[in-house]
């Protein structure tokens, strides 16, 4: 069969001669295909059977409801000749195909649709460490009629994946990290969305709060999902905006939320920030192509969300927060945004450590004890109360307080800031660091970057909770050098909180409440990630 690999310009896209080929995806190595298709994988009604050239071999190809299978066509074996081995069968699952295009060659003088070469399948491959990769498989056949039948059948199959988005609202923050978000989107994300046939409407934000203002009133009925290209602050703002929009649509008052309404559209996170905690926690790695393919494939993951409120007023929806050292560090970093992201982060950490001081707090929390944890604690001879409706209170001098509904993975904490927490296990991790010496506190911080237990210190306590109330007992507020302008004027009665990497000034008492599975994010299941057990000295 003619291969049609020489001369002219080759494109896998349908359309006129001016249409360029899509960005080259790595051809699928034969070693990645699973040979010897198992009976359960081969199950399903056979839809089509035909001959295509795959690689450099003519193959017998069978398309069923669940898989595309093929094997090389071997010449008839001579009698008594045993040198011909049994044909190796290879396959891909239909659910891993995210687009199909007609493959054509265009010459400079050619008019019309060009010369048909066959069909190109665009495939999502699973790699190691939760990484996804796009690839292609060419089915070469020069028959227009033959390819048309197969092309229409592939399109019909792909149309059956109703969970895959067809139209997306994209929010892009051009100021994220090193101002790379625009380049990341148009070079890595947009080409894949275009290949998948997904329509996009892109808004480039121009100021802080732009995404919130936009999503508050814009029409979202025509979209299947929202995508945020940026860092943790941008992603948190978009998630907050979607949840506020859901409360508005449900006719709920945001200042008296007992059971908030779920976000109506799933949110996709494209990591383009400096730490990318949200995307890292969702996908296991801050990988742009992986995040994009999860969106294209329609992988949905429900995620728990917290409400942060003070004196009956909702501050915001969020996934994690830090008060004390974490809040002060962010406040100082925000004051020095003229520095590069890494510079201001290191500067803020060093200066906050140099002026390390505790906060006088009273922390009340509602324990959330799973039956599994209860059995483990009893086995260890340290049973906790079976009751989960009794508030407990601790008080004293605290260097840092962390409240996290997600694991909070990032490059400096590969196991996560809260490694025992999951995306949707219905609980939060409360981690409190009591007053201690600066060297001991630094040891605790350094443990996040290692495989050792960062909580194995006498001054660190961890709890699994459903609600937390943090009350600041002194009114010293922030160091005037750490904030500027309006923040400095308000520092006497407000305190800096780091909520999802965004600086929030709050009053002396903040209530944090968990709401299970309140938003859906595009991403894979965290159960696929390597679980690491962490023990806490307080249990």
């Amino acid at each position: 069969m003619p291969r049609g690999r020489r001369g002219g310009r080759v494109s896998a896209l349908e359309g006129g001669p001016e249409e360029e080929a899509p960005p080259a995806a790595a051809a699928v190595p034969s070693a990645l295909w699973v040979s010897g298709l198992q009976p359960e994988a081969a199950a399903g009604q056979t839809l089509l059977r035909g001959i295509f050239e795959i690689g450099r071999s003519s193959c017998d190809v069978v398309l069923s409801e669940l898989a595309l299978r093929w094997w090389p066509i071997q010449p008839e074996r001579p009698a008594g000749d045993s040198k011909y081995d049994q044909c190796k069968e290879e396959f891909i699952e239909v659910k891993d195909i995210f687009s199909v295009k007609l493959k054509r060659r265009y010459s400079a003088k050619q008019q019309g649709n060009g010369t048909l070469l066959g069909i190109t399948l665009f495939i999502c491959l699973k790699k190691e460490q939760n990484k996804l990769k796009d690839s292609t498989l060419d089915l070469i056949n020069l028959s227009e009629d033959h390819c048309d039948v197969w092309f229409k059948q592939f399109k019909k199959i792909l149309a059956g994946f109703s969970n895959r988005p067809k139209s997306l609202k994209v929010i892009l923050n051009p100021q994220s990290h090193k101002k790379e978000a625009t380049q990341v989107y148009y070079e890595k994300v947009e080409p894949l969305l275009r290949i998948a046939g997904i329509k996009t409407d892109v808004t480039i934000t121009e100021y802080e709060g732009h995404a919130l203002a936009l999503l508050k009133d814009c029409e979202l009925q025509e979209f299947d999902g929202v995508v945020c290209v940026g860092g943790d602050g941008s992603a948190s703002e978009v998630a907050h905006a979607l949840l506020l929009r859901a409360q508005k649509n449900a006719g709920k008052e945001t200042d008296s939320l007992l059971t908030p309404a779920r976000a109506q559209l799933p949110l996709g996170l494209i990591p383009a920030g400096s730490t990318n905690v949200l995307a890292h926690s969702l996908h296991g790695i801050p990988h742009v192509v992986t995040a994009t393919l999860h969106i294209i494939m329609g992988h949905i993951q429900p995620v728990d969300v917290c409400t942060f409120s003070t004196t009956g007023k909702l501050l915001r929806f969020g996934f994690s927060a830090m008060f004390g050292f974490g809040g002060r560090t962010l406040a100082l970093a925000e004051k020095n945004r003229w520095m590069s992201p890494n510079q201001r982060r290191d500067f803020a950490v060093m200066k906050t450590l140099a002026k390390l001081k505790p906060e006088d707090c009273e922390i009340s929390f509602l324990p959330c004890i799973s039956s599994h944890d209860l059995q483990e604690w009893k086995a260890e001879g340290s049973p906790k109360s079976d009751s989960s409706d009794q508030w407990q209170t601790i008080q004293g001098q605290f260097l840092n307080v962390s409240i996290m509904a997600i694991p909070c993975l990032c490059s400096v904490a590969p196991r996560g800031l809260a490694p025992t927490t999951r995306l949707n296990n219905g609980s939060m991790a409360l981690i409190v660091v009591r007053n201690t010496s600066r060297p001991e506190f630094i040891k605790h911080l350094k443990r996040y970057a290692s495989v050792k237990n960062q909580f194995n210190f006498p001054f660190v306590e961890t709890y699994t909770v459903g609600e937390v109330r943090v009350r600041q007992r002194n009114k010293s507020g922030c160091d005037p050098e750490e904030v500027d302008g309006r923040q400095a004027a308000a520092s006497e009665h407000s305190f800096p909180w780091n909520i999802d990497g965004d600086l929030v000034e709050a009053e002396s008492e903040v209530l944090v409440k968990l709401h299970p599975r309140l938003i859906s994010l595009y991403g894979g299941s965290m159960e696929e990630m390597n679980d690491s057990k962490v023990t806490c000295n307080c249990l």
Side-chain angles (χ1 to χ4, degrees):
M1 181 180 297
R3 295 190 178 94
R5 300 183 188 276
R6 303 190 181 195
R9 179 162 53 90
V10 177
S11 172
L13 292 174
E14 296 177 272
E18 297 304 316
E19 211 163 10
E20 294 289 341
V28 182
S30 60
L32 293 176
W33 304 119
V34 181
S35 60
L37 189 62
Q38 299 300 315
E40 59 270 20
Q45 180 183 357
T46 297
L47 303 175
L48 291 173
R49 184 167 188 168
I51 296 176
F52 289 92
E53 182 182 333
I54 301 178
R56 294 184 176 274
S57 302
S58 291
C59 297
D60 188 2
V61 184
V62 174
L63 175 63
S64 71
E65 294 175 323
L66 301 180
L68 179 74
R69 298 178 293 138
W70 68 94
W71 50 91
I73 298 174
Q74 299 283 5
E76 185 177 344
R77 181 184 301 179
D81 192 340
S82 60
K83 70 178 181 179
Y84 293 96
D85 296 327
Q86 186 176 0
C87 297
K88 180 182 178 182
E89 183 181 281
E90 298 175 292
F91 80 99
I92 57 172
E93 293 184 77
V94 168
K95 66 180 180 63
D96 293 331
I97 302 172
F98 66 86
S99 187
V100 57
K101 307 290 182 183
L102 292 175
K103 184 179 182 69
R104 298 182 182 276
R105 179 201 293 130
Y106 299 102
S107 62
K109 298 181 180 180
Q110 191 171 8
Q111 301 295 323
N113 290 330
T115 302
L116 178 70
L117 300 179
I119 296 171
T120 296
L121 301 178
F122 294 85
I123 304 154
C124 174
L125 293 179
K126 295 179 182 178
K127 307 290 284 184
E128 295 179 354
Q129 299 178 335
N130 304 302
K131 185 178 290 187
L132 300 182
K133 179 183 179 181
D134 60 298
S135 189
T136 58
L137 177 69
D138 288 333
L139 306 178
I140 303 300
N141 190 304
L142 303 187
S143 169
E144 290 271 2
D145 293 338
H146 186 65
C147 288
D148 185 61
V149 171
W150 281 72
F151 176 76
K152 288 180 178 178
Q153 186 63 60
F154 278 119
K155 295 289 283 187
K156 182 179 179 181
I157 291 173
L158 293 179
F161 293 108
S162 58
N163 58 317
R164 296 183 182 180
K166 298 176 178 61
S167 179
L168 294 169
K169 177 63 184 178
V170 179
I171 310 293
L172 191 157
N173 181 2
Q175 302 300 319
S176 289
H177 193 37
K178 299 177 182 178
K179 301 184 179 181
E180 298 170 341
T182 303
Q183 181 181 0
V184 164
Y185 176 75
Y186 285 106
E187 290 186 4
K188 296 183 178 181
V189 180
E190 192 273 340
L192 283 173
L193 298 180
R194 177 163 41 85
I195 288 172
I198 298 174
K199 297 178 181 179
T200 57
D201 182 81
V202 181
T203 295
I204 299 177
T205 58
E206 299 174 359
Y207 54 88
E208 184 178 353
H210 188 178
L212 182 60
L214 174 73
L215 293 174
K216 182 179 179 181
D217 298 311
C218 77
E219 295 294 330
L220 294 176
Q221 291 87 343
E222 61 185 286
F223 301 112
D224 301 311
V226 176
V227 173
C228 174
V229 186
D232 290 319
S234 302
S236 180
E237 180 184 338
V238 173
H240 175 60
L242 286 174
L243 286 164
L244 282 181
R245 177 68 177 265
Q247 311 320 308
K248 178 183 176 182
N249 292 346
K252 295 195 173 188
E253 292 289 337
T254 56
D255 289 341
S256 58
L257 283 177
L258 296 176
T259 55
R262 282 179 50 84
Q264 295 162 319
L265 292 179
L267 172 61
L269 306 177
I270 303 297
S274 53
T275 55
N276 302 304
V277 167
L278 286 172
H280 203 148
S281 298
L282 182 64
H283 307 302
I285 49 173
H287 188 243
V288 171
V289 171
T290 295
T292 306
L293 288 173
H294 276 304
I295 295 169
I296 290 172
M297 303 301 287
H299 297 158
I300 298 292
Q301 183 75 2
V303 178
D304 299 342
V305 179
C306 308
T307 49
F308 298 86
S309 56
T310 181
T311 60
K313 179 182 179 182
L314 177 70
L315 290 173
R316 69 181 299 148
F317 292 94
F319 302 94
S320 65
M322 287 187 285
F323 174 72
F325 175 79
R328 291 179 180 276
T329 301
L330 181 61
L332 186 57
E334 287 297 302
K335 180 187 175 184
N336 294 277
R337 289 195 70 87
W338 56 271
M339 297 181 180
S340 70
N342 290 337
Q343 271 187 321
R344 67 172 178 262
R345 180 188 64 193
D346 295 342
F347 169 78
V349 168
M350 296 303 295
K351 189 167 183 180
T352 308
L353 283 173
K355 294 186 176 184
L356 188 64
K357 60 180 180 180
E359 302 284 356
D360 186 10
C361 296
E362 179 182 278
I363 303 173
S364 302
F365 56 88
L366 193 61
C368 184
I369 303 174
S370 70
S371 58
H372 178 267
D373 289 337
L374 192 60
Q375 290 173 3
E376 282 194 348
W377 292 336
K378 287 182 177 179
E380 293 171 3
S382 308
K384 297 287 183 179
S385 168
D386 291 25
S387 174
S388 61
D389 59 356
Q390 297 296 318
W391 283 82
Q392 298 181 18
T393 300
I394 56 176
Q395 56 188 7
Q397 301 283 318
F398 299 99
L399 291 175
N400 192 65
V401 178
S402 299
I403 305 166
M404 300 176 175
I406 61 174
C408 292
L409 278 70
C410 60
S411 58
V412 296
R415 296 169 70 243
L417 299 178
T420 57
T421 305
R422 293 296 173 262
L423 293 174
N424 51 27
N425 64 350
S427 66
M428 301 181 290
L430 169 63
I431 305 167
V432 295
V433 182
R434 292 184 180 271
N435 194 19
T436 188
S437 66
R438 184 181 293 108
E440 286 297 297
F441 183 66
I442 292 174
K443 283 183 184 178
H444 160 65
L445 294 181
K446 285 185 174 180
R447 284 276 185 93
Y448 281 108
S450 71
V451 296
K452 294 182 180 179
N453 184 357
Q454 63 265 45
F455 309 126
N456 191 24
F457 292 94
F459 53 87
V460 180
E461 302 170 14
T462 69
Y463 304 89
T464 302
V465 301
E467 292 185 53
V468 180
R469 181 180 288 108
V470 180
R471 185 169 69 86
Q472 174 68 279
R473 296 198 298 181
N474 62 41
K475 295 293 183 181
S476 60
C478 304
D479 187 327
E481 294 183 12
E482 295 180 4
V483 291
D484 58 350
R486 183 183 60 186
Q487 293 175 341
S491 64
E492 183 179 353
H493 302 291
S494 61
F495 303 89
W497 281 72
N498 179 341
I499 300 181
D500 296 334
D502 199 9
L503 182 64
V504 176
E505 291 288 332
E507 295 181 11
S508 60
E509 183 171 307
V510 173
L511 175 65
V512 185
K513 185 175 181 180
L514 183 83
H515 303 279
R517 301 174 174 241
L518 199 59
I519 194 170
S520 292
L521 304 182
Y522 286 109
S525 172
M526 289 295 290
E527 296 304 319
E528 297 175 2
M529 296 179 58
N530 294 327
D531 249 348
S532 55
K533 272 203 149 187
V534 179
T535 57
C536 308
N537 68 292
C538 59
L539 301 181

